[in-house]
């Protein structure tokens, strides 16, 4: 995942992060914001898998062969 993609995700999460930060005193907001962004970047890099399997990959080729025997032409 590129830095541009990560920044786009962080931008989408910005309103929620700001609402959480306003619940914190002014003294800690900047540190908390930096910590939140750092943790979100780590989570994004570790947990997002952009390679989604296709339909046939998902159900498996073996099951497709089983289903193909049941199909009939009209």
């Amino acid at each position: 995942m590129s830095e541009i993609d990560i920044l786009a995700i962080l931008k989408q999460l910005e309103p929620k992060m700001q609402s959480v930060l306003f619940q914190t005193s002014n003294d800690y907001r900047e540190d908390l914001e930096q910590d939140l962004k750092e943790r979100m970047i780590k989570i994004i890099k570790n947990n997002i898998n952009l390679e989604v399997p296709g339909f046939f990959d998902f159900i498996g080729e073996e099951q497709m062969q089983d289903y193909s025997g049941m199909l009939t032409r009209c």
Side-chain angles (χ1 to χ4, degrees), residues 21-38:
L21 290 172
F22 283 125
Q23 298 174 12
T24 308
S25 68
N26 288 334
D27 299 335
Y28 302 111
R29 277 187 195 161
E30 189 175 330
D31 293 334
L32 180 59
E33 182 177 8
Q34 185 176 4
D35 189 45
L36 284 173
K37 286 182 179 180
E38 182 181 341

Side-chain angles (χ1 to χ4, degrees), residues 13-68:
L13 296 172
E14 186 75 24
K16 179 60 178 176
M17 187 170 58
Q18 291 302 320
S19 70
V20 170
L21 290 172
F22 283 125
Q23 298 174 12
T24 308
S25 68
N26 288 334
D27 299 335
Y28 302 111
R29 277 187 195 161
E30 189 175 330
D31 293 334
L32 180 59
E33 182 177 8
Q34 185 176 4
D35 189 45
L36 284 173
K37 286 182 179 180
E38 182 181 341
R39 289 176 188 233
M40 286 191 292
I41 290 170
K42 286 180 183 177
I43 290 170
I44 291 168
K45 284 184 175 181
N46 291 331
N47 293 334
I48 291 186
N49 183 3
L50 297 178
E51 295 183 21
V52 178
F55 176 75
F56 296 111
D57 295 330
F58 181 72
I59 65 168
E61 290 182 27
E62 295 169 3
Q63 290 180 348
M64 276 307 296
Q65 291 173 356
D66 293 341
Y67 291 126
S68 66

